[in-house]
Amino acid sequence: MSEPALPPLYAQHLARDRRRSVHTVRAYQATAERLIAFLQGHWGKVADRAALATLTAADLRAFLAHRRAAANLTNASAARELSAVRGFVRFVTGEEAPRLKGPRVKKGVPRPIAPDEAVALAEEVADEAGEPWIGARDWAVLLLLYGAGLRIGEAMGLTGAILPIGDTIAVTGKRSKTRIVPILPPVRAAVERYVALTPYGVARNEVLFRGAKGGPLSAAVIRRSVRAARVRLGLSDRTTPHALRHSFATHLLGRGADLRALQELLGHASLSSTQIYTQVDAAHLLDIYRNAHPRA
């Protein structure tokens, strides 16, 4: 009897044993399928369990070069692909994949995190969590920062009173000022999944996000996880939880959001605090111009 296809087995493991999101399972299975297809052409033989046990760093380097050429991957996407490959090889062989230094990005002036980098960062943090419910928690927290523009302290201060989540939530920010923040469906789904998985329950008058031992989640835990994930993905050391909020604002402004509306969404006391994003957006556009325009 032929061996069952390995990528679907890996997907089942991620969904059943690791309880990963549908998006992550689909993405990781696709990466595993691409790796198998590439190696079979690269080696000229079937890439089964025995063959994968002989995988070398040179093989992985060739695969990443192939993927970069085929899909024009950013550094963050390439690093994410490598992370998925490592998980697949570990599942199939029971051993760690050969060590290979992931792609890195040059450090430069502060700039927004690109959407694919923001998602890759959140997924990397969630996938490295020790428990499925902790992964769901970290994913929900980071989506609240990037998808709703919350400060990390504001996310830590949320209570069970926001449940069940509708189209908006009330957020208490600096100087105890409360604002209404729209919640996108993916953000709502992330919070609901965390609530369904947390072993500690969620009381209306208690904090929403819990630490591993049941106490209130510390912002330092999220910052530490983000630092580790950005190293694995080769992202700049300016990629912080607060940078996700920064990107939320810049991306909205780039899509035509009104400054006054953005001020309300971010909870800024004055418009001058919000106007800094017009400068950042202009700098970002100039950077794109210089890199892309043939006469620049």
Side-chain angles (χ1 to χ4, degrees), residues 3-227:
E3 184 178 45
L6 296 174
L9 289 178
Y10 181 47
Q12 291 173 17
H13 162 70
L14 290 174
R16 181 188 62 239
D17 303 327
R18 302 293 301 277
R19 301 189 72 174
R20 297 309 186 203
S21 70
V22 172
H23 172 79
T24 297
V25 171
R26 186 185 304 117
Y28 273 39
Q29 180 176 352
T31 295
E33 289 170 346
R34 287 191 291 265
L35 177 68
I36 292 294
F38 170 79
L39 290 177
Q40 290 182 162
H42 184 62
W43 288 337
K45 64 179 183 181
V46 175
D48 55 14
R49 288 180 187 272
L52 286 172
T54 69
L55 190 71
T56 67
D59 294 327
L60 288 182
R61 196 174 295 111
F63 171 68
L64 283 183
H66 167 74
R67 288 289 297 137
R68 279 185 176 277
N72 193 28
L73 297 182
T74 64
N75 281 351
S77 295
R80 186 70 178 152
E81 191 96 339
L82 181 58
S83 177
V85 164
R86 285 171 174 153
F88 175 59
V89 172
R90 185 167 54 244
F91 166 74
V92 172
T93 68
E95 303 290 340
E96 294 296 326
R99 294 187 63 83
L100 179 66
K101 188 176 182 180
R104 299 192 66 83
V105 295
K106 294 180 180 179
K107 297 179 181 180
V109 297
R111 66 190 63 194
I113 304 171
D116 70 315
E117 292 178 345
V119 173
L121 180 72
E123 289 180 337
E124 183 70 14
V125 169
D127 286 344
E128 289 299 313
E131 297 285 343
W133 77 268
I134 293 178
R137 177 200 69 191
D138 294 350
W139 172 255
V141 169
L142 294 178
L143 280 201
L144 281 166
L145 307 188
Y146 178 63
L150 270 61
R151 301 177 178 93
I152 190 167
E154 293 170 345
M156 298 300 98
L158 293 175
T159 69
I162 70 167
L163 302 175
I165 295 181
D167 293 331
T168 62
I169 61 172
V171 176
T172 302
K174 291 183 177 180
R175 294 171 294 278
S176 299
K177 182 180 177 182
T178 299
R179 68 185 188 278
I180 302 300
V181 176
I183 296 297
L184 297 170
V187 180
R188 182 188 307 118
V191 175
E192 290 173 344
R193 182 168 183 269
Y194 158 71
V195 170
L197 293 179
T198 178
Y200 298 109
V202 180
R204 183 174 178 82
N205 61 343
E206 295 182 355
V207 293
L208 177 64
F209 294 113
R210 299 278 185 172
K213 296 182 178 179
L217 176 62
S218 167
V221 171
I222 300 298
R223 293 191 181 99
R224 186 163 56 245
S225 296
V226 167
R227 281 197 299 270

